[in-house]
Amino acid sequence: MTMSKSMHHTAHKRVVIKLGGSTLEGLNEAFFDNFKRLQESGVELIITHGGGPAINRELAAQGLQSHTLNGIRVTNEAAIKVVQSTLIGQVNTALVHELTTAGIAAIGLNGFDNQLIVVDFLDQETYGYVGAIKNINTSLLEALMGVGIVPVIACVGTTEAGQALNINGDTVASEIALAVGADSLLLVTDVSGIRIEDEYQAIATPSLIDQWTEQGHIYGGMIPKVQGAIDCLRAGIPSVQIVGATLIGTTIVATSELLSS
Ligand SMILES: Nc1ncnc2c1ncn2[C@@H]1O[C@H](COP(=O)(O)OP(=O)(O)O)[C@@H](O)[C@H]1O
Ligand SMILES: CC(=O)N[C@@H](CCC(=O)OP(=O)(O)O)C(=O)O
């Protein structure tokens, strides 16, 4: 998608929070209380989620194999059915339940709902049933946030023809953040941010990230996170963080390019 969706200018701050599958199952009530407090302070929340480990379990249970390339799952015809039913039928519903239990009004959505996430095939020969986001329809999100309901979005997109395609959760989070002009994007994962040679980095810049990726210090599931973060910063979203369940981690800043040279 192209950048330059303008930032919205209401009194409310908007925060997009992505919960990684790697951390989802370990989150407790205290964690969700943070969201409740944020919402009570007037922040408009959108939650997106992954579910890689749940998909892996379900694929294994059905005797199916899969592998990833650059942090993206190569998804064949059998796998997309598993991805769709696991993310929407299991992971999304469980998360909506946890939020509701924590006193947060939440509604589960996926790319099919009101054409929330319309996709084309990313590169069918290489990745199979994986989507590249073509359009995010924000109208339903705006309506829900307007009445204090938190959208909880599974990373499954639909083609114009109604074919479900798998999308990496970090990519969905960053594209949603761009589309609604979020003030902040928070990627919650199983590590306390970007670790380089055994040291977690409090701050990172796009040029440092490029360097670290080239050197192989950033790999696998961290790649879609840093790419999404850089896309958001370039489009003017002021704050992107990659954090663990303690909400401590790496803040990625667009400026201070001087630090890295
Ligand atoms: N430089 C890095 N710093 C921290 N984690 C990294 C780095 N490079 C790769 N990773 C890997 O990325 C993983 C997080 O991505 P992923 O497993 O896809 O999580 P999620 O399910 O939250 O999206 C970490 O657990 C770690 O194995
Ligand atoms: C295309 C692609 O890679 N889709 C991901 C979607 C789930 C996801 O992103 O889960 P995490 O947030 O736990 O990594 C997958 O199939 O694993």
Side-chain angles (χ1 to χ4, degrees):
M1 273 203 355
T2 49
M3 33 186 260
S4 84
K5 288 272 172 18
S6 63
M7 306 294 277
H8 75 114
H9 292 288
T10 68
H12 294 289
K13 267 198 132 200
R14 275 186 182 171
V15 179
V16 174
I17 300 169
K18 185 258 179 170
L19 303 178
S22 63
T23 192
L24 258 180
E25 287 156 23
L27 298 177
N28 57 23
E29 229 177 296
F31 178 84
F32 290 109
D33 274 349
N34 292 320
F35 295 176
K36 189 160 172 56
R37 277 197 298 277
L38 265 181
Q39 207 189 16
E40 283 167 353
S41 72
V43 171
E44 293 180 334
L45 282 182
I46 296 176
I47 295 177
T48 70
H49 65 86
I55 295 167
N56 289 338
R57 275 200 306 273
E58 200 56 40
L59 287 170
Q62 300 192 21
L64 298 168
Q65 309 222 327
S66 83
H67 65 283
T68 62
L69 254 185
N70 305 314
I72 295 171
R73 185 187 308 273
V74 176
T75 307
N76 65 20
E77 207 174 341
I80 185 58
K81 296 206 168 78
V82 172
V83 168
Q84 180 176 3
S85 63
T86 305
L87 290 180
I88 299 173
Q90 296 179 40
V91 182
N92 187 268
T93 50
L95 180 53
V96 168
H97 170 73
E98 292 203 80
L99 288 161
T100 308
T101 303
I104 299 167
I107 188 165
L109 297 173
N110 63 76
F112 282 72
D113 297 307
N114 197 36
Q115 295 212 302
L116 177 59
I117 310 169
V118 178
V119 291
D120 280 328
F121 282 90
L122 174 63
D123 172 353
Q124 196 169 4
E125 213 157 281
T126 308
Y127 294 106
Y129 288 76
V130 170
I133 297 176
K134 213 167 90 176
N135 191 54
I136 305 273
N137 181 2
T138 59
S139 59
L140 187 57
L141 303 180
E142 296 286 350
L144 291 169
M145 286 189 290
V147 293
I149 297 174
V150 177
V152 181
I153 304 170
C155 53
V156 174
T158 175
T159 65
E160 302 278 6
Q163 169 66 54
L165 296 182
N166 189 8
I167 318 165
N168 186 275
D170 299 312
T171 309
V172 167
S174 58
E175 293 279 7
I176 296 273
L178 287 169
V180 301
D183 300 282
S184 172
L185 170 65
L186 200 60
L187 301 173
V188 184
T189 182
D190 64 341
V191 288
S192 301
I194 302 174
R195 193 179 51 221
I196 303 301
E197 289 173 341
D198 283 341
E199 290 213 31
Y200 281 106
Q201 307 293 307
I203 303 267
T205 62
S207 60
L208 275 173
I209 285 169
D210 284 346
Q211 202 175 304
W212 292 332
T213 306
E214 220 163 276
Q215 292 165 344
H217 294 309
I218 290 177
Y219 54 87
M222 190 55 67
I223 291 177
K225 293 183 206 307
V226 297
Q227 279 174 353
I230 290 172
D231 288 347
C232 283
L233 288 173
R234 293 228 164 96
I237 290 177
S239 167
V240 181
Q241 288 169 282
I242 300 173
V243 301
T246 57
L247 303 182
I248 293 170
T250 305
T251 299
I252 303 168
V253 293
T255 52
S256 66
E257 294 286 333
L258 287 176
L259 286 179
S260 62
S261 58

